[in-house]
Amino acid sequence: MSGAPMTGYAVVIPTLVRETLADCLAALAAATGPGPDEIVLVDDRPAPDADPAALEHPLSVLGDLRERTVVLRSGGRGPAAARNTGIRAVTSPWTAFLDDDVQVGPHWCDQLVQDLAEAAPDTGAVQGVIAVPLPGERRPTDWERGTAGLAQARWITADMAYRTDVLKRVHGFDERFPRAFREDADLALRVLDAGWRIQRGRRTTRHPVRPASRWVSLAQQRGNADDALMRRLHGPDWWSKAMAPRGRIRRHAAITAAGVAALALAVAGRPRAAALAGLGWAAGTAEFAWARIAPGPRTRDEVTTMLVTSVLVPPAATWYRLSGLWRHRGARAWREVAA
């Protein structure tokens, strides 16, 4: 391992050119301290004819940093592939990843350079501190609480700086992770397995809660397929290695099994057994719904959303987990591939 105290850095930002991008770039341009050697903005919109004019305003807020900015296209293959596109263009010793919906703090550049200067020779990455502002006048919704969990998450690329040579040694992000979910933990586990340390820095970045559909919890269940890939790559104890919450997939599977059994038994003409299985399904669903409703604002809209999605989430989670296990059944463990 080499660990020369070099603090030159590039910033890589994958983006779908959302409205948040301009605020992200404006905060970066306004931050005090040594600016990045280069900014690599990776446009991951899938359409080959995506309107380039949509980037004009976000780029205009960069001011003097505009001359150090390059825009690349990654073809809509997801944030892991977009970041890899950015990594290949970086020539600086460190690569700092930001998401396009965050806003770095006013002294972020100064603090980042200090974080990098203090990194030990065997430190492969330095994580930023994420702050998620929540409403003070009421309890947060289920979606807001989920976003707030990013403040305690390990190794998230909302603000994460890696040594560029370390990224290249472990072959960057695994592009089999198509969503902004688990691809950061997978990379960090591979970096740790390679003998590097990851430490937490002092710099701070704000991650606002973005607007979302009331059905967002259903879309999030796709991440269960990524959990199946994590199991294949890092073993059944990957949860503890990544210091990630285990989630409710086992309960979801049990609730789904009870519901399927109730329907099957009813069709088979066994009403008593069907009723017992249905009672198990109802009890499990009610517990899940209350676990989501109780800490929330308990408004009519929130309660209705939690009740409906609590019925739909368990089968969706189970389906995505099973489909992920099947899709990634041939994936080899990371250590086997690296050997």
Side-chain angles (χ1 to χ4, degrees):
M1 293 180 188
S2 62
M6 296 181 291
T7 58
Y9 69 96
V11 173
V12 172
I13 306 174
T15 183
L16 294 174
V17 194
R18 298 182 290 187
E19 293 181 0
T20 56
L21 177 61
D23 290 337
C24 173
L25 295 180
L28 178 60
T32 61
D37 300 333
E38 49 198 332
I39 298 173
V40 184
L41 191 65
V42 185
D43 183 350
D44 195 44
R45 288 177 293 176
D49 57 346
D51 183 8
L55 278 168
E56 290 181 5
H57 172 61
L59 290 174
S60 71
V61 304
L62 282 170
D64 294 340
L65 291 180
R66 178 66 182 89
E67 297 178 357
R68 309 183 198 180
T69 302
V70 61
V71 178
L72 303 176
R73 296 291 302 273
S74 54
R77 294 179 293 130
R83 294 190 191 104
N84 284 343
T85 299
I87 292 168
R88 288 190 288 270
V90 169
T91 59
S92 302
W94 289 87
T95 300
F97 296 105
L98 294 174
D99 287 346
D100 71 352
D101 57 352
V102 304
Q103 299 159 16
V104 300
H107 308 293
W108 186 83
C109 294
D110 267 328
Q111 293 170 334
L112 173 62
V113 169
Q114 183 178 357
D115 285 345
L116 303 184
E118 294 175 354
D122 65 344
T123 296
V126 185
Q127 179 178 348
V129 177
I130 302 297
V132 180
L134 292 175
E137 70 281 2
R138 59 167 174 78
R139 294 179 176 182
T141 64
D142 182 67
W143 169 241
E144 290 167 342
R145 294 194 305 275
T147 303
L150 297 175
Q152 283 76 45
R154 302 296 293 267
W155 315 318
I156 60 171
T157 42
D159 181 354
M160 188 70 164
Y162 278 94
R163 293 188 190 272
T164 305
D165 64 336
V166 170
L167 288 169
K168 294 178 179 178
R169 288 187 199 185
V170 300
H171 309 294
F173 291 86
D174 189 329
E175 297 181 13
R176 288 173 293 183
F177 291 95
R179 287 164 285 276
F181 189 70
R182 303 303 189 205
E183 86 292 354
D184 45 12
D186 166 71
L187 173 63
L189 288 178
R190 288 187 278 119
V191 168
L192 293 171
D193 280 347
W196 297 88
R197 293 192 303 123
I198 299 176
Q199 66 186 50
R200 185 178 291 269
R202 297 189 184 93
R203 67 190 186 279
T204 59
T205 292
R206 184 173 178 265
H207 193 307
V209 179
R210 57 182 173 82
S213 161
R214 68 190 305 174
W215 311 113
V216 65
S217 59
L218 290 177
Q220 288 179 308
Q221 301 315 308
R222 295 188 180 97
N224 283 283
D226 301 320
D227 286 349
L229 178 56
M230 286 293 287
R231 181 183 177 90
R232 295 291 302 174
L233 296 176
H234 301 286
D237 61 341
W238 75 266
W239 300 91
S240 59
K241 292 178 183 177
M243 289 173 276
R246 191 168 180 82
R248 299 177 65 105
I249 186 59
R250 292 183 178 179
R251 295 187 188 183
H252 290 333
I255 292 170
T256 302
V260 171
L263 292 174
L265 289 166
V267 170
R270 300 177 60 186
R272 182 172 298 181
L276 287 174
L279 184 60
W281 172 85
T285 301
E287 184 278 329
F288 178 44
W290 180 245
R292 303 170 71 202
I293 292 170
R298 305 187 195 179
T299 61
R300 178 179 295 178
D301 283 349
E302 177 74 358
V303 170
T304 300
T305 300
M306 293 300 99
L307 288 174
V308 175
T309 56
S310 292
V311 172
L312 301 175
V313 162
T318 304
W319 167 256
Y320 284 118
R321 172 55 65 89
L322 292 174
S323 64
L325 289 171
W326 175 256
R327 184 183 315 129
H328 301 300
R329 63 192 182 282
R332 297 170 59 196
W334 152 247
R335 290 181 178 178
E336 294 176 4
V337 176

